[in-house]
């Protein structure tokens, strides 16, 4: 087990972080192509919204897995920033798709939707929680804030993940398995976070 982890860590050190950035953009490029070529089914706007939101949640969960993986000896810390920033990108695009493509910038209807559909407010809470994380994702921001304050601020990622998972559960009617699995994954990560010793929390 230790030997396998050492090999994975050695391989990870040789992979440029740019590979993660480029790879993370592939789903977005595919989605643009699929939309342009009418390959998203009968309701392409809903398909765009769903895929963007789902990819954002997946990247966010991947970034939150970095700390518990370090506890077992798998060090992928150098990729966490790319995963977190790309999570914000996809979630922001998910929000813009709803505002622009779905609602057509009709602000009166947007406000009515916020009143009628509380899960939209939850989604906005998740997006707003991620905004300061994206803004402070640079080395310069870490130096200005200090490592301790930066770590405390970035605990908002768990707020964003919880809000996003609940948003997904409420959005998809009928209690299907997929959103419940995402909610369970967020719950498991929160429990692991509480059990990770302070000295390895980053």
């Amino acid at each position: 087990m230790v030997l396998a982890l050492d090999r994975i860590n050695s391989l990870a050190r040789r992979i440029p972080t740019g590979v993660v950035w480029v790879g993370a953009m592939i789903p977005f490029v595919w989605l643009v192509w699929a939309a342009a070529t009418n390959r998203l089914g009968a309701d392409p706007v809903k398909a765009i919204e769903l895929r963007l939101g789902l990819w954002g949640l997946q990247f966010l969960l991947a970034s939150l897995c970095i700390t518990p993986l370090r506890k077992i000896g798998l060090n992928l810390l150098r990729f966490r920033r790319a995963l977190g920033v790309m999570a914000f990108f996809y979630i922001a695009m998910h929000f813009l798709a709803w505002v622009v493509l779905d609602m057509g910038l009709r602000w009166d209807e947007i406000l009515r939707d916020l009143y009628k559909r509380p899960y939209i407010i939850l989604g906005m809470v998740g997006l707003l929680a991620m905004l300061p994380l994206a803004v402070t994702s640079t080395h310069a921001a870490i130096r200005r804030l200090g490592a301790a304050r930066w770590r405390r601020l970035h605990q908002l990622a768990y707020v964003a993940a919880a809000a996003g998972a609940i948003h997904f559960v409420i959005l998809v009617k009928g209690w299907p398995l997929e959103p419940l699995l995402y909610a369970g994954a967020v719950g498991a990560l929160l429990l692991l976070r509480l059990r990770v010793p302070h000295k390895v929390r980053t």
Side-chain angles (χ1 to χ4, degrees):
M1 179 66 175
V2 174
L3 182 59
L5 289 173
D6 287 342
R7 288 177 177 174
I8 295 172
N9 287 334
S10 177
L11 176 62
R13 286 192 293 269
R14 293 197 296 270
I15 298 174
T17 55
V19 171
V20 177
W21 291 101
V22 173
M25 284 300 299
I26 290 174
F28 184 76
V29 173
W30 174 85
L31 188 62
V32 172
W33 171 81
T37 55
N38 298 314
R39 296 173 183 268
L40 294 177
D43 194 344
V45 171
K46 290 298 182 185
I48 289 170
E49 288 182 37
L50 179 60
R51 284 176 168 84
L52 289 171
L54 189 57
W55 291 333
L57 184 57
Q58 289 168 352
F59 278 113
L60 181 55
L61 289 175
S63 71
L64 292 177
C65 285
I66 300 297
T67 293
L69 287 175
R70 286 186 74 201
K71 187 181 180 183
I72 65 171
L74 187 58
N75 190 352
L76 303 175
L77 186 62
R78 60 199 300 266
F79 304 121
R80 184 172 62 182
R81 178 183 305 169
L83 293 171
V85 172
M86 292 311 300
F88 174 76
F89 168 77
Y90 278 106
I91 291 169
M93 289 300 102
H94 170 70
F95 172 73
L96 287 176
W98 173 66
V99 170
V100 178
L101 300 180
D102 195 351
M103 305 304 295
L105 295 175
R106 297 184 298 271
W107 298 107
D108 54 337
E109 292 187 24
I110 289 171
L111 291 174
R112 281 198 295 271
D113 253 17
L114 290 175
Y115 175 76
K116 291 188 299 182
R117 298 178 172 87
Y119 66 83
I120 297 177
I121 296 177
L122 276 171
M124 293 181 69
V125 167
L127 175 62
L128 291 174
M130 293 195 70
L131 183 58
L133 310 186
V135 171
T136 60
S137 63
T138 63
H139 289 299
I142 296 172
R143 287 194 297 270
R144 285 195 302 270
L145 288 170
R149 284 197 297 172
W150 184 87
R151 283 194 295 268
R152 287 196 296 272
L153 176 66
H154 277 245
Q155 290 176 4
L156 284 172
Y158 290 91
V159 175
I166 298 170
H167 168 81
F168 189 24
V169 168
I170 300 174
L171 171 65
V172 182
K173 298 179 177 62
W175 297 93
L177 181 60
E178 185 181 15
L180 295 177
L181 289 175
Y182 281 99
V186 172
L189 285 168
L190 285 168
L191 289 174
L192 284 172
R193 180 72 181 186
L194 293 174
R195 296 181 62 181
V196 172
H198 178 74
K199 65 179 180 180
V200 300
R201 288 185 181 177
T202 57

